[in-house]
Amino acid sequence: MLQVKKRNGILVPFDKERIINAINKAFIEVDRALYEDDTANDIADEIKYAVKTSNDVVSVEKIQDMVEDYLMKSERRDVAKEYIRYRYKREIARKGQDDFIKAFSAKIQGSDIENQNANVDEMSFGGRVGAASDLQMKKYALDYLVSNKSRVNHENNRIYIHDLNAYAVGMHNCLSIPFDDLLAKGFNTRQTDVRPAGSVNTAFQLVAVIFQLQSLQQFGGVSATHLDWTMVPYVRKSFYKHFNDGLVYVEHTLSMDDRLNSTLPIDSEIYKEYPSAYQYAIDMTERETHQAVEGMYHNLNTLQSRSGNQLPFTSINYGTCTLPEGRMVIKALLEVSIEGLGRLHKTSIFPCGIFQCAKGINRAPGDPNYDLFRIALKSTALRLYPNYANVDWSGNAGYDKNDPKTYFSTMGCRTANGFDINGLGQQKDGRGNICPVTIIMPTLAMEAKKYWETMPSGDDSCVETFIDFLDQAINDAKDMLLERFEYICSQPAESAKFMYENGLMAGYDGISTRSALKHGTLAMGQLGLAETLQILIGKDHTTEEGMKLAKRIEQLFKDRCAEYKEKYQLNFGVYFTPAENLCYTAMTKFKNKYGIIPNVSDKEYFTNSIHVPVWKQMSPFDKIDIESQLTGYSSAGCITYVELDSGMENNIDALETLVNYAMNHDIPYFAINVPNDTCLKCGYTGEFNDKCPMCGSEDIQQLRRVTGYLTGNYKTAFNKGKVAETQARIKHVGYME
């Protein structure tokens, strides 16, 4: 039996028909018809004879070489060229498949851990399945779903398409959940229905359940926009039950006062006519609320849902409710945050706590919730959470002071809902980021520089060339967002049944998913402003000249998004991308193409969005002064943070000054980074990095902020670029009044 050696070394029987078919395909490609049956057969016979008379086993590659030679010697050299092209295409496809299989195998076996998401355990069984699946889904999206323009922009490191794995199935990104309605009316799940909450304990349990269920309908974060206000009715329900018990067991009153009901405020004078029962009910309700919050925190840090044992990316906004019930909830949320979780009282990773600062409510002595603001500052000093949202931010102008659903709130990472052009105004509930792309500006800056260097002397400057390139990229990004938006809209409501059936996404008309999706945001992100400015003018935006150009760049983003918003009646918004993984992958591609450029690519990461480079020495106030000049250009989300040392727990007054400084400078979303190291043997916390000063253990959790969220030990959870960025962070020191 004649045998042939395949590329993988396996011997298989010689098959004459395979040669004939390959040659005939080349004839068909040239002539658009099959006229050369005899030629193909003759060549196949000659090759068969050569294989038969050979002293060695002939390889597939050798046979293909022989086919080329025979065709070139024939009168049909045009067919020979087509066969060569066909062979080359097959080789490229084969190599691509081989590369994919190698990458897929590495993900399955856990030998290529990239930590693309700091809160996903890529080494776990679920993480490996998820990473391998994502690889296939991303390939499918790039090969079969996106347009050629989108694919070229993505592959050339110009405009990044986020979460291609989710793109493949048409998922949207994130959502602010309308908890008020869900807890009051109940909701349906695949297996059953859930009754309305009847107590504060049940309400907090259901918050965790809803967070988890909705996180499976999307690929981004979930948030509660005003959890303190949401919980008021359920605190009252619990209080009413405890008061009834107090009447019997404390007041020894068997008959219930018919003036009482579970909707009355807990400070009602009617309750106070029974002082012993009233105090008993207050004490029991405070205890139940505290335990309910503890339960929610534990659930949100243990109810793993997505591939890689990932916890839902949850955020809770609170701080403005001045009713006694709301204040009780805020106090419990902050106390549980301060206490920490588990045996060692570790800092909670989720939910991301966000304290909503508002003038006249909680920012100054005499404000009704000022005492809670002070507790929030203590929690931040110890636990990094809460972050701070600016209810009075100019970008949220027109909100209704009587409707907390319109107060400025955010996802932990930074995503925010701006003004809805399709009728919901500043309402945040039931809306979210539908899909993002990110323009990698340093790539555009290098392309502009290379192009400008070829232009005749006296033509437009490199900056003007870049502005032209950026304008075109923004237009491309718009098309890429519209392309993805339409694909997401094409998905049936059954794809996210829990979300649509229960009205989690506002505006759904029961017919078209577009009716709800149109209220969300199409986010146009950006990366590497500091490096872009260095390429163009040799200075970043910590200088006057750099800031002038930075504002021009951001104004272009803002103007174009406003233009597209009106033209397409969709909520295009400027997004200062978190870029947890992109800061590293984009830099890696950039260096591979352009090499090491001082102050640009001489590190492992690009500076996130419009941030001041992390290695810049300055005071926290200086950093706020700089970034506050740019945050107003963003409508789809941004964050400003400062790095402080671990001693801030003893200087709450300084923290208060700092947060108020940020709010007064119109920063919409503000966070403070303090080192949070925990010894996993004795529980000691502080800043000590590799070794516990109390017990000497080296089993340390080194907690750091990754985007707006926290994660576990940054040295093992972050990707290579984010680890380098974290280690380069300079403490922002200076006089703090």
PDB file of all heavy atoms in Angstrom, residues 286-316:
ATOM      1  N   GLU A 286     -33.086  48.003  64.523  1.00  0.00           N
ATOM      2  CA  GLU A 286     -31.678  48.308  64.259  1.00  0.00           C
ATOM      3  C   GLU A 286     -30.863  47.024  64.167  1.00  0.00           C
ATOM      4  O   GLU A 286     -30.007  46.873  63.281  1.00  0.00           O
ATOM      5  CB  GLU A 286     -31.120  49.215  65.363  1.00  0.00           C
ATOM      6  CG  GLU A 286     -31.609  50.650  65.283  1.00  0.00           C
ATOM      7  CD  GLU A 286     -31.052  51.511  66.404  1.00  0.00           C
ATOM      8  OE1 GLU A 286     -30.539  50.932  67.394  1.00  0.00           O
ATOM      9  OE2 GLU A 286     -31.141  52.748  66.299  1.00  0.00           O
ATOM     10  N   ARG A 287     -31.156  46.076  65.081  1.00  0.00           N
ATOM     11  CA  ARG A 287     -30.433  44.800  65.051  1.00  0.00           C
ATOM     12  C   ARG A 287     -30.749  44.031  63.773  1.00  0.00           C
ATOM     13  O   ARG A 287     -29.842  43.501  63.118  1.00  0.00           O
ATOM     14  CB  ARG A 287     -30.800  43.961  66.275  1.00  0.00           C
ATOM     15  CG  ARG A 287     -30.099  42.606  66.304  1.00  0.00           C
ATOM     16  CD  ARG A 287     -30.582  41.759  67.465  1.00  0.00           C
ATOM     17  NE  ARG A 287     -30.326  42.397  68.743  1.00  0.00           N
ATOM     18  CZ  ARG A 287     -30.675  41.855  69.921  1.00  0.00           C
ATOM     19  NH1 ARG A 287     -31.314  40.687  69.955  1.00  0.00           N
ATOM     20  NH2 ARG A 287     -30.408  42.479  71.039  1.00  0.00           N
ATOM     21  N   GLU A 288     -32.016  43.984  63.398  1.00  0.00           N
ATOM     22  CA  GLU A 288     -32.392  43.257  62.187  1.00  0.00           C
ATOM     23  C   GLU A 288     -31.778  43.901  60.948  1.00  0.00           C
ATOM     24  O   GLU A 288     -31.304  43.195  60.037  1.00  0.00           O
ATOM     25  CB  GLU A 288     -33.914  43.210  62.040  1.00  0.00           C
ATOM     26  CG  GLU A 288     -34.359  42.436  60.802  1.00  0.00           C
ATOM     27  CD  GLU A 288     -35.863  42.465  60.578  1.00  0.00           C
ATOM     28  OE1 GLU A 288     -36.595  42.841  61.511  1.00  0.00           O
ATOM     29  OE2 GLU A 288     -36.296  42.117  59.460  1.00  0.00           O
ATOM     30  N   THR A 289     -31.783  45.230  60.901  1.00  0.00           N
ATOM     31  CA  THR A 289     -31.208  45.925  59.747  1.00  0.00           C
ATOM     32  C   THR A 289     -29.722  45.643  59.635  1.00  0.00           C
ATOM     33  O   THR A 289     -29.203  45.375  58.540  1.00  0.00           O
ATOM     34  CB  THR A 289     -31.462  47.442  59.858  1.00  0.00           C
ATOM     35  OG1 THR A 289     -32.873  47.689  59.936  1.00  0.00           O
ATOM     36  CG2 THR A 289     -30.882  48.183  58.662  1.00  0.00           C
ATOM     37  N   HIS A 290     -29.043  45.684  60.767  1.00  0.00           N
ATOM     38  CA  HIS A 290     -27.613  45.391  60.761  1.00  0.00           C
ATOM     39  C   HIS A 290     -27.353  43.963  60.275  1.00  0.00           C
ATOM     40  O   HIS A 290     -26.479  43.732  59.431  1.00  0.00           O
ATOM     41  CB  HIS A 290     -27.038  45.585  62.168  1.00  0.00           C
ATOM     42  CG  HIS A 290     -25.540  45.537  62.223  1.00  0.00           C
ATOM     43  ND1 HIS A 290     -24.750  46.655  62.159  1.00  0.00           N
ATOM     44  CD2 HIS A 290     -24.684  44.489  62.321  1.00  0.00           C
ATOM     45  CE1 HIS A 290     -23.477  46.305  62.209  1.00  0.00           C
ATOM     46  NE2 HIS A 290     -23.408  44.985  62.317  1.00  0.00           N
ATOM     47  N   GLN A 291     -28.112  43.011  60.782  1.00  0.00           N
ATOM     48  CA  GLN A 291     -27.939  41.614  60.373  1.00  0.00           C
ATOM     49  C   GLN A 291     -28.308  41.419  58.908  1.00  0.00           C
ATOM     50  O   GLN A 291     -27.676  40.623  58.202  1.00  0.00           O
ATOM     51  CB  GLN A 291     -28.783  40.702  61.267  1.00  0.00           C
ATOM     52  CG  GLN A 291     -28.278  40.623  62.698  1.00  0.00           C
ATOM     53  CD  GLN A 291     -29.205  39.818  63.600  1.00  0.00           C
ATOM     54  OE1 GLN A 291     -30.383  39.617  63.280  1.00  0.00           O
ATOM     55  NE2 GLN A 291     -28.690  39.367  64.728  1.00  0.00           N
ATOM     56  N   ALA A 292     -29.322  42.147  58.460  1.00  0.00           N
ATOM     57  CA  ALA A 292     -29.721  42.041  57.055  1.00  0.00           C
ATOM     58  C   ALA A 292     -28.618  42.543  56.135  1.00  0.00           C
ATOM     59  O   ALA A 292     -28.335  41.941  55.086  1.00  0.00           O
ATOM     60  CB  ALA A 292     -31.006  42.835  56.822  1.00  0.00           C
ATOM     61  N   VAL A 293     -27.982  43.654  56.519  1.00  0.00           N
ATOM     62  CA  VAL A 293     -26.873  44.180  55.724  1.00  0.00           C
ATOM     63  C   VAL A 293     -25.700  43.206  55.752  1.00  0.00           C
ATOM     64  O   VAL A 293     -25.052  42.958  54.720  1.00  0.00           O
ATOM     65  CB  VAL A 293     -26.450  45.571  56.246  1.00  0.00           C
ATOM     66  CG1 VAL A 293     -25.149  46.019  55.577  1.00  0.00           C
ATOM     67  CG2 VAL A 293     -27.554  46.590  55.997  1.00  0.00           C
ATOM     68  N   GLU A 294     -25.416  42.641  56.915  1.00  0.00           N
ATOM     69  CA  GLU A 294     -24.360  41.623  56.994  1.00  0.00           C
ATOM     70  C   GLU A 294     -24.641  40.470  56.039  1.00  0.00           C
ATOM     71  O   GLU A 294     -23.744  39.988  55.336  1.00  0.00           O
ATOM     72  CB  GLU A 294     -24.257  41.077  58.417  1.00  0.00           C
ATOM     73  CG  GLU A 294     -23.493  41.941  59.385  1.00  0.00           C
ATOM     74  CD  GLU A 294     -23.331  41.267  60.732  1.00  0.00           C
ATOM     75  OE1 GLU A 294     -24.276  40.578  61.178  1.00  0.00           O
ATOM     76  OE2 GLU A 294     -22.267  41.418  61.352  1.00  0.00           O
ATOM     77  N   GLY A 295     -25.897  40.032  56.030  1.00  0.00           N
ATOM     78  CA  GLY A 295     -26.281  38.943  55.144  1.00  0.00           C
ATOM     79  C   GLY A 295     -26.066  39.292  53.687  1.00  0.00           C
ATOM     80  O   GLY A 295     -25.574  38.474  52.904  1.00  0.00           O
ATOM     81  N   MET A 296     -26.442  40.527  53.297  1.00  0.00           N
ATOM     82  CA  MET A 296     -26.244  40.947  51.911  1.00  0.00           C
ATOM     83  C   MET A 296     -24.757  40.969  51.561  1.00  0.00           C
ATOM     84  O   MET A 296     -24.346  40.478  50.505  1.00  0.00           O
ATOM     85  CB  MET A 296     -26.847  42.340  51.684  1.00  0.00           C
ATOM     86  CG  MET A 296     -26.691  42.818  50.239  1.00  0.00           C
ATOM     87  SD  MET A 296     -27.103  44.559  49.999  1.00  0.00           S
ATOM     88  CE  MET A 296     -25.725  45.364  50.822  1.00  0.00           C
ATOM     89  N   TYR A 297     -23.938  41.528  52.449  1.00  0.00           N
ATOM     90  CA  TYR A 297     -22.501  41.586  52.191  1.00  0.00           C
ATOM     91  C   TYR A 297     -21.913  40.185  52.036  1.00  0.00           C
ATOM     92  O   TYR A 297     -21.113  39.925  51.127  1.00  0.00           O
ATOM     93  CB  TYR A 297     -21.790  42.330  53.316  1.00  0.00           C
ATOM     94  CG  TYR A 297     -21.620  43.809  53.062  1.00  0.00           C
ATOM     95  CD1 TYR A 297     -22.701  44.685  53.127  1.00  0.00           C
ATOM     96  CD2 TYR A 297     -20.381  44.341  52.759  1.00  0.00           C
ATOM     97  CE1 TYR A 297     -22.553  46.042  52.900  1.00  0.00           C
ATOM     98  CE2 TYR A 297     -20.207  45.697  52.535  1.00  0.00           C
ATOM     99  CZ  TYR A 297     -21.299  46.545  52.603  1.00  0.00           C
ATOM    100  OH  TYR A 297     -21.139  47.885  52.363  1.00  0.00           O
ATOM    101  N   HIS A 298     -22.292  39.277  52.913  1.00  0.00           N
ATOM    102  CA  HIS A 298     -21.768  37.919  52.812  1.00  0.00           C
ATOM    103  C   HIS A 298     -22.249  37.243  51.525  1.00  0.00           C
ATOM    104  O   HIS A 298     -21.477  36.544  50.855  1.00  0.00           O
ATOM    105  CB  HIS A 298     -22.183  37.094  54.044  1.00  0.00           C
ATOM    106  CG  HIS A 298     -21.312  37.330  55.238  1.00  0.00           C
ATOM    107  ND1 HIS A 298     -21.592  38.294  56.186  1.00  0.00           N
ATOM    108  CD2 HIS A 298     -20.157  36.731  55.624  1.00  0.00           C
ATOM    109  CE1 HIS A 298     -20.644  38.282  57.114  1.00  0.00           C
ATOM    110  NE2 HIS A 298     -19.762  37.339  56.799  1.00  0.00           N
ATOM    111  N   ASN A 299     -23.504  37.445  51.183  1.00  0.00           N
ATOM    112  CA  ASN A 299     -24.026  36.847  49.950  1.00  0.00           C
ATOM    113  C   ASN A 299     -23.284  37.363  48.723  1.00  0.00           C
ATOM    114  O   ASN A 299     -22.924  36.594  47.827  1.00  0.00           O
ATOM    115  CB  ASN A 299     -25.523  37.132  49.805  1.00  0.00           C
ATOM    116  CG  ASN A 299     -26.374  36.251  50.681  1.00  0.00           C
ATOM    117  OD1 ASN A 299     -25.992  35.127  51.014  1.00  0.00           O
ATOM    118  ND2 ASN A 299     -27.544  36.742  51.070  1.00  0.00           N
ATOM    119  N   LEU A 300     -23.052  38.669  48.672  1.00  0.00           N
ATOM    120  CA  LEU A 300     -22.428  39.263  47.488  1.00  0.00           C
ATOM    121  C   LEU A 300     -20.944  38.932  47.382  1.00  0.00           C
ATOM    122  O   LEU A 300     -20.329  39.154  46.333  1.00  0.00           O
ATOM    123  CB  LEU A 300     -22.637  40.781  47.481  1.00  0.00           C
ATOM    124  CG  LEU A 300     -24.088  41.234  47.313  1.00  0.00           C
ATOM    125  CD1 LEU A 300     -24.188  42.751  47.327  1.00  0.00           C
ATOM    126  CD2 LEU A 300     -24.703  40.682  46.033  1.00  0.00           C
ATOM    127  N   ASN A 301     -20.358  38.404  48.456  1.00  0.00           N
ATOM    128  CA  ASN A 301     -18.967  37.974  48.406  1.00  0.00           C
ATOM    129  C   ASN A 301     -18.821  36.461  48.329  1.00  0.00           C
ATOM    130  O   ASN A 301     -17.690  35.949  48.351  1.00  0.00           O
ATOM    131  CB  ASN A 301     -18.206  38.507  49.623  1.00  0.00           C
ATOM    132  CG  ASN A 301     -17.882  39.977  49.500  1.00  0.00           C
ATOM    133  OD1 ASN A 301     -16.908  40.372  48.874  1.00  0.00           O
ATOM    134  ND2 ASN A 301     -18.733  40.822  50.081  1.00  0.00           N
ATOM    135  N   THR A 302     -19.952  35.753  48.233  1.00  0.00           N
ATOM    136  CA  THR A 302     -19.886  34.284  48.168  1.00  0.00           C
ATOM    137  C   THR A 302     -20.727  33.685  47.054  1.00  0.00           C
ATOM    138  O   THR A 302     -20.473  32.554  46.636  1.00  0.00           O
ATOM    139  CB  THR A 302     -20.353  33.661  49.503  1.00  0.00           C
ATOM    140  OG1 THR A 302     -21.682  34.125  49.810  1.00  0.00           O
ATOM    141  CG2 THR A 302     -19.415  34.035  50.637  1.00  0.00           C
ATOM    142  N   LEU A 303     -21.723  34.403  46.553  1.00  0.00           N
ATOM    143  CA  LEU A 303     -22.604  33.855  45.521  1.00  0.00           C
ATOM    144  C   LEU A 303     -21.943  33.976  44.149  1.00  0.00           C
ATOM    145  O   LEU A 303     -22.255  34.860  43.357  1.00  0.00           O
ATOM    146  CB  LEU A 303     -23.959  34.583  45.528  1.00  0.00           C
ATOM    147  CG  LEU A 303     -24.854  34.302  46.725  1.00  0.00           C
ATOM    148  CD1 LEU A 303     -26.105  35.184  46.671  1.00  0.00           C
ATOM    149  CD2 LEU A 303     -25.267  32.833  46.753  1.00  0.00           C
ATOM    150  N   GLN A 304     -21.010  33.079  43.887  1.00  0.00           N
ATOM    151  CA  GLN A 304     -20.297  33.106  42.620  1.00  0.00           C
ATOM    152  C   GLN A 304     -21.230  32.647  41.504  1.00  0.00           C
ATOM    153  O   GLN A 304     -21.988  31.709  41.674  1.00  0.00           O
ATOM    154  CB  GLN A 304     -19.065  32.212  42.703  1.00  0.00           C
ATOM    155  CG  GLN A 304     -18.082  32.714  43.754  1.00  0.00           C
ATOM    156  CD  GLN A 304     -16.982  31.727  44.046  1.00  0.00           C
ATOM    157  OE1 GLN A 304     -17.130  30.542  43.800  1.00  0.00           O
ATOM    158  NE2 GLN A 304     -15.880  32.212  44.574  1.00  0.00           N
ATOM    159  N   SER A 305     -21.129  33.326  40.361  1.00  0.00           N
ATOM    160  CA  SER A 305     -22.109  33.042  39.319  1.00  0.00           C
ATOM    161  C   SER A 305     -21.476  32.772  37.967  1.00  0.00           C
ATOM    162  O   SER A 305     -21.738  31.757  37.347  1.00  0.00           O
ATOM    163  CB  SER A 305     -23.106  34.200  39.199  1.00  0.00           C
ATOM    164  OG  SER A 305     -22.437  35.411  38.939  1.00  0.00           O
ATOM    165  N   ARG A 306     -20.636  33.665  37.470  1.00  0.00           N
ATOM    166  CA  ARG A 306     -20.131  33.533  36.118  1.00  0.00           C
ATOM    167  C   ARG A 306     -18.932  32.596  36.055  1.00  0.00           C
ATOM    168  O   ARG A 306     -18.398  32.159  37.069  1.00  0.00           O
ATOM    169  CB  ARG A 306     -19.730  34.904  35.584  1.00  0.00           C
ATOM    170  CG  ARG A 306     -20.914  35.860  35.431  1.00  0.00           C
ATOM    171  CD  ARG A 306     -20.407  37.244  35.098  1.00  0.00           C
ATOM    172  NE  ARG A 306     -21.513  38.183  34.919  1.00  0.00           N
ATOM    173  CZ  ARG A 306     -21.348  39.498  34.982  1.00  0.00           C
ATOM    174  NH1 ARG A 306     -20.175  40.014  35.234  1.00  0.00           N
ATOM    175  NH2 ARG A 306     -22.373  40.302  34.807  1.00  0.00           N
ATOM    176  N   SER A 307     -18.496  32.323  34.847  1.00  0.00           N
ATOM    177  CA  SER A 307     -17.327  31.463  34.657  1.00  0.00           C
ATOM    178  C   SER A 307     -16.136  32.022  35.424  1.00  0.00           C
ATOM    179  O   SER A 307     -15.924  33.223  35.482  1.00  0.00           O
ATOM    180  CB  SER A 307     -16.985  31.371  33.169  1.00  0.00           C
ATOM    181  OG  SER A 307     -18.035  30.750  32.466  1.00  0.00           O
ATOM    182  N   GLY A 308     -15.348  31.116  35.974  1.00  0.00           N
ATOM    183  CA  GLY A 308     -14.189  31.548  36.743  1.00  0.00           C
ATOM    184  C   GLY A 308     -14.555  31.874  38.165  1.00  0.00           C
ATOM    185  O   GLY A 308     -13.826  32.565  38.864  1.00  0.00           O
ATOM    186  N   ASN A 309     -15.701  31.341  38.612  1.00  0.00           N
ATOM    187  CA  ASN A 309     -16.137  31.592  39.986  1.00  0.00           C
ATOM    188  C   ASN A 309     -16.191  33.094  40.274  1.00  0.00           C
ATOM    189  O   ASN A 309     -15.774  33.567  41.321  1.00  0.00           O
ATOM    190  CB  ASN A 309     -15.211  30.895  40.986  1.00  0.00           C
ATOM    191  CG  ASN A 309     -15.107  29.406  40.709  1.00  0.00           C
ATOM    192  OD1 ASN A 309     -16.102  28.768  40.400  1.00  0.00           O
ATOM    193  ND2 ASN A 309     -13.907  28.861  40.805  1.00  0.00           N
ATOM    194  N   GLN A 310     -16.695  33.842  39.327  1.00  0.00           N
ATOM    195  CA  GLN A 310     -16.723  35.292  39.437  1.00  0.00           C
ATOM    196  C   GLN A 310     -17.930  35.758  40.234  1.00  0.00           C
ATOM    197  O   GLN A 310     -19.047  35.294  40.040  1.00  0.00           O
ATOM    198  CB  GLN A 310     -16.760  35.927  38.045  1.00  0.00           C
ATOM    199  CG  GLN A 310     -16.718  37.441  38.073  1.00  0.00           C
ATOM    200  CD  GLN A 310     -16.818  38.037  36.684  1.00  0.00           C
ATOM    201  OE1 GLN A 310     -16.721  37.321  35.694  1.00  0.00           O
ATOM    202  NE2 GLN A 310     -17.017  39.330  36.601  1.00  0.00           N
ATOM    203  N   LEU A 311     -17.684  36.693  41.114  1.00  0.00           N
ATOM    204  CA  LEU A 311     -18.776  37.329  41.847  1.00  0.00           C
ATOM    205  C   LEU A 311     -19.407  38.415  40.981  1.00  0.00           C
ATOM    206  O   LEU A 311     -18.724  39.039  40.163  1.00  0.00           O
ATOM    207  CB  LEU A 311     -18.247  37.960  43.137  1.00  0.00           C
ATOM    208  CG  LEU A 311     -17.663  36.992  44.162  1.00  0.00           C
ATOM    209  CD1 LEU A 311     -16.916  37.758  45.236  1.00  0.00           C
ATOM    210  CD2 LEU A 311     -18.763  36.148  44.795  1.00  0.00           C
ATOM    211  N   PRO A 312     -20.703  38.645  41.132  1.00  0.00           N
ATOM    212  CA  PRO A 312     -21.324  39.757  40.401  1.00  0.00           C
ATOM    213  C   PRO A 312     -20.661  41.084  40.766  1.00  0.00           C
ATOM    214  O   PRO A 312     -20.344  41.330  41.937  1.00  0.00           O
ATOM    215  CB  PRO A 312     -22.782  39.719  40.892  1.00  0.00           C
ATOM    216  CG  PRO A 312     -22.998  38.328  41.370  1.00  0.00           C
ATOM    217  CD  PRO A 312     -21.678  37.885  41.934  1.00  0.00           C
ATOM    218  N   PHE A 313     -20.430  41.924  39.763  1.00  0.00           N
ATOM    219  CA  PHE A 313     -19.841  43.239  39.998  1.00  0.00           C
ATOM    220  C   PHE A 313     -20.952  44.173  40.494  1.00  0.00           C
ATOM    221  O   PHE A 313     -21.681  44.764  39.699  1.00  0.00           O
ATOM    222  CB  PHE A 313     -19.210  43.772  38.711  1.00  0.00           C
ATOM    223  CG  PHE A 313     -17.861  43.191  38.423  1.00  0.00           C
ATOM    224  CD1 PHE A 313     -17.721  41.851  38.097  1.00  0.00           C
ATOM    225  CD2 PHE A 313     -16.719  43.976  38.498  1.00  0.00           C
ATOM    226  CE1 PHE A 313     -16.481  41.302  37.831  1.00  0.00           C
ATOM    227  CE2 PHE A 313     -15.462  43.440  38.236  1.00  0.00           C
ATOM    228  CZ  PHE A 313     -15.346  42.102  37.910  1.00  0.00           C
ATOM    229  N   THR A 314     -21.062  44.276  41.800  1.00  0.00           N
ATOM    230  CA  THR A 314     -22.186  44.987  42.402  1.00  0.00           C
ATOM    231  C   THR A 314     -21.753  46.311  43.019  1.00  0.00           C
ATOM    232  O   THR A 314     -20.658  46.428  43.575  1.00  0.00           O
ATOM    233  CB  THR A 314     -22.842  44.114  43.485  1.00  0.00           C
ATOM    234  OG1 THR A 314     -21.842  43.683  44.421  1.00  0.00           O
ATOM    235  CG2 THR A 314     -23.490  42.889  42.862  1.00  0.00           C
ATOM    236  N   SER A 315     -22.641  47.297  42.928  1.00  0.00           N
ATOM    237  CA  SER A 315     -22.406  48.610  43.515  1.00  0.00           C
ATOM    238  C   SER A 315     -23.681  49.083  44.200  1.00  0.00           C
ATOM    239  O   SER A 315     -24.783  48.830  43.701  1.00  0.00           O
ATOM    240  CB  SER A 315     -22.020  49.635  42.440  1.00  0.00           C
ATOM    241  OG  SER A 315     -20.903  49.207  41.703  1.00  0.00           O
ATOM    242  N   ILE A 316     -23.515  49.764  45.317  1.00  0.00           N
ATOM    243  CA  ILE A 316     -24.667  50.330  46.015  1.00  0.00           C
ATOM    244  C   ILE A 316     -24.400  51.807  46.303  1.00  0.00           C
ATOM    245  O   ILE A 316     -23.367  52.176  46.854  1.00  0.00           O
ATOM    246  CB  ILE A 316     -24.979  49.576  47.330  1.00  0.00           C
ATOM    247  CG1 ILE A 316     -23.744  49.467  48.220  1.00  0.00           C
ATOM    248  CG2 ILE A 316     -25.513  48.182  47.020  1.00  0.00           C
ATOM    249  CD1 ILE A 316     -24.021  48.858  49.591  1.00  0.00           C
TER     250      ILE A 316
END
